[in-house]
Amino acid sequence: MEKGDSARGTAFKAAFAVGEFRALWAAEALSQAGDQLARVALSVLVWERTASAGLTGLTYGLTYLPTLIGGTLFAGLADRYPRRTVMIACDLLRAAIAALMAVPGMPLSVLAGLLVILTMAGGPFRAAQLALLPDVLEGDRYVAGLAVRTITIQTAQLAGFGGGGLVIGFVTPYWGLVIDAVTFVVSALLVSTGVRRRRPVAAESSVKSRVARAFSGEGARELWQGKGIRVLFGLKMLAGFAIAPEGLAAPLAVGLGAGTFAVGLILAADPVGAVIGSWIFTKWVPARRKTRMVGILAIASVVPLVFLFFRPPLPVCLVLIGFSGAFAAPYHLQAVALMARAVPDGVRAQVMGLTSTSLVTVQGIGIMLAGGLAQLTGPFVAVGVAATVAVASAGPMAMAWKRAIATGPDVWLPAGSRTG
């Protein structure tokens, strides 16, 4: 692989030059599109059948929450069985369930149960994908691949709901679920034809021993025993504070005297910043600096949000939130890359699954706590307080990360950058 500036300049092209990565990326892009469409379709379907805002909100929540269970409990299957096989099996299972959900007249209780299973299957799929990616891409290509993944997910969040609403406007919610099922089938085909077979990481020969090891909690032990990995995990959990503007988008807009259009702008500011920040970080920052910048970027990602305490005008709010996303996305993707490289291959999927589901969990908790504080103090104070706590927490963790690099450079820094 090329080195130096030319390698940085062609990192994205180099990642897409790998056929297996193209297949994995296309499969996830389809899954993301299908997920967004399904969320809109189910929300419309439940509202049409019940006219209940509560049940509609509960249905929407079920498209997220069971992923925590799937990613925590079942991620280890991707360490005991071939990761390609786990991804294909999860896709086919989700396709079958989405097709069942598309049957007209399905009782809501059955629909909810099927939705829980479908969402849970997304956990091991993502864990297997994240664990497989370091085997597919190396060096700067791997970081570029993670950046492409981040950009794809953020872009899906920006465009998915509008596009989903447009599709459901032309077809019934049931056909929306059929389309969702088709995306999973195509995703499985992409993985089966585009990703080569690899032996399972586990050495166990019996199904019983493989399943036992998958649920053994080895990934959690690995996560907490390694000091550097523990620090990276803590830095990623700062997202629980940084999520406050997203959770309080509506009251922030009202506090600024803006209309509902401002809510969409506030929600879009962070993803837009994340896309820009990921691109700049991957394309222009040298590999020797990426690792050293993790702690600094973590602090920088929450500092702009402190200034929302002073209730700035809407354009300034959008810039501050955008800067937060631009600093946050690069350190998150670099942290994932470092963790994946540092942990043993035999527990990589468990560590990745636990990390990604913990991230979703702290974001949910962060939104709830910010909402409760906003009820007492107002949304701007709540965001400012959350950001201040995050800055105070990020400082010591950034120093701990600096010490981890100094004491174990062979683990964390690329060759040629382990001095100075």
Side-chain angles (χ1 to χ4, degrees), residues 223-224 226-239 290-295 298 330-343 351-352 355 359 397-398 400-402 404-405 411-412:
L223 188 63
W224 291 109
K227 183 178 179 181
I229 298 174
R230 205 163 59 233
V231 174
L232 290 172
F233 181 84
L235 287 170
K236 285 186 68 62
M237 296 307 110
L238 290 174
K290 283 185 169 76
T291 299
R292 297 184 187 276
M293 290 177 65
V294 167
Y331 99 76
H332 277 288
L333 69 89
Q334 184 66 16
V336 169
L338 291 167
M339 294 172 74
R341 291 167 176 163
V343 300
V351 171
M352 294 294 99
T355 301
L359 187 62
M397 285 192 285
W401 176 241
K402 185 177 180 180
I405 295 174
V411 176
W412 304 113

Side-chain angles (χ1 to χ4, degrees), residues 37-53 55-57 59-60 63 97-112 114-115 164 168-169 171-178:
L37 180 60
R39 288 185 178 110
V40 176
L42 285 167
S43 296
V44 172
L45 178 61
V46 172
W47 175 255
E48 287 180 348
R49 292 176 61 178
T50 68
S52 169
L55 287 176
T56 302
T59 302
Y60 186 81
T63 65
I97 293 173
L100 283 175
M101 293 169 66
V103 176
M106 183 73 68
L108 286 181
S109 58
V110 177
L111 194 66
L114 291 172
L115 179 58
I168 299 304
V171 300
T172 68
Y174 295 107
W175 276 107
L177 291 169
V178 170

